[in-house]
Amino acid sequence: MICPKCGFEQGEGMTTCERCGVIFAKVRRSSSAASAAPPVASTAAVAGDLFGRLRGALVAVEPGEPDFFVVGRSLLFAALVFWGWRFMSATIASGYAAESMLHLTLLPFHEAGHVIFGVLGNRFLTVLGGTLGQLLVPLVVICAFLARRNPFAASVGVWWLGESFMDVAIYADDARAGELPLLGGVTGSEVEDYHDWEVMLGKLGWLQYDHLIGRIFYGCGTILILLSLAWGALLLWRQVQLRRGRPG
């Protein structure tokens, strides 16, 4: 017989190897245990499974939904395309995002962010909390709808998040000029230490970069709105294909 450890060939009936001294019975038991152990999934397999589940959640459509659901989503999507184009084609200087009625939907979350982050007792975080508040709420909406397996509603949340980025862009761009009317009917140039982005960029020493930061926020908003429209269009197409009896 051949030793499974060192490969030395010896006579049959041996219980230990004449060369290395290993006990054959122990080697056989360890080999049996190894072969009986369940295979461990590779990192690539686990990652692939998670990606597959995420992809399924992002493009899931429910069969058998009423017609008015599909019609309603199509009308909402058309409105988002039209309104999204208005936002994307407008300039920061026009202030369109800050003047739209959607600004009023973000304002309570902006002010609540100041209060919530203010409990941390740090002036910078308190001021930053306004921007974080109006960005985090749409993000929470997106996650909530994904958890409820409603990706179309989540895509609308992404659109709202993009619009919120554009709203922030106009505020950041105004840091040095201080011309925007703020809560209370005053402007940043009229009241010292009142304009959020003047305070934050001033503390960071980045006040001269206010226009650049504004353009970055506006660019992020544009990308998010485009992604949301592409996502919504894909979901609507899959819904129509499903109703026609074709795979989406």
Side-chain angles (χ1 to χ4, degrees):
M1 65 181 300
I2 299 175
C3 175
K5 182 178 180 181
C6 67
F8 179 68
E9 186 175 358
Q10 51 210 303
E12 295 294 332
M14 302 293 294
T15 57
T16 60
C17 178
E18 294 179 351
R19 173 184 288 178
C20 66
V22 70
I23 301 174
F24 296 143
K26 289 185 177 181
V27 175
R28 294 191 189 99
R29 282 198 299 268
S30 62
S31 299
S32 300
S35 62
V40 179
S42 66
T43 303
V46 173
D49 182 59
L50 290 175
F51 178 78
R53 292 183 182 182
L54 177 61
R55 180 180 178 278
L58 292 177
V59 298
V61 292
E62 294 293 333
E65 287 188 333
D67 289 341
F68 68 86
F69 267 47
V70 181
V71 173
R73 286 173 179 170
S74 300
L75 292 175
L76 175 58
F77 179 77
L80 293 178
V81 170
F82 174 76
W83 212 355
W85 173 250
R86 290 290 306 276
F87 280 114
M88 292 185 291
S89 61
T91 62
I92 297 178
S94 71
Y96 179 75
E99 294 171 358
S100 74
M101 70 175 188
L102 284 179
H103 173 73
L104 299 179
T105 68
L106 295 168
L107 187 59
F109 304 123
H110 181 100
E111 297 304 321
H114 287 313
V115 176
I116 293 171
F117 286 90
V119 301
L120 299 175
N122 182 283
R123 168 66 173 160
F124 186 86
L125 289 178
T126 300
V127 176
L128 177 61
T131 296
L132 293 179
Q134 73 175 80
L135 295 178
L136 286 175
V137 170
L139 187 60
V140 170
V141 168
I142 295 167
C143 294
F145 280 120
L146 284 178
R148 294 176 63 87
R149 297 188 63 81
N150 190 340
F152 183 82
S155 74
V156 177
V158 173
W159 190 98
W160 187 28
L161 179 61
E163 185 273 332
S164 184
F165 265 91
M166 292 178 169
D167 188 87
V168 171
I170 294 173
Y171 199 7
D173 184 76
D174 184 62
R176 277 181 293 177
E179 296 175 348
L180 282 179
L182 306 177
L183 202 63
V186 298
T187 64
S189 60
E190 293 173 338
V191 181
E192 186 179 357
D193 202 34
Y194 190 62
H195 192 296
D196 288 359
W197 281 91
E198 180 188 13
V199 172
M200 290 188 292
L201 296 182
K203 287 184 177 295
L204 294 171
W206 296 351
L207 200 55
Q208 68 271 28
Y209 303 121
D210 57 349
H211 298 325
L212 174 61
I213 292 171
R215 287 195 293 270
I216 291 173
F217 270 98
Y218 213 83
C220 289
T222 299
I223 291 172
L224 286 169
I225 287 179
L226 288 173
L227 285 175
S228 75
L229 295 178
W231 189 9
L234 173 62
L235 291 167
L236 287 174
W237 177 79
R238 283 175 57 84
Q239 188 75 65
V240 171
Q241 293 297 100
L242 184 64
R243 296 180 72 82
R244 290 177 177 176
R246 303 173 185 172

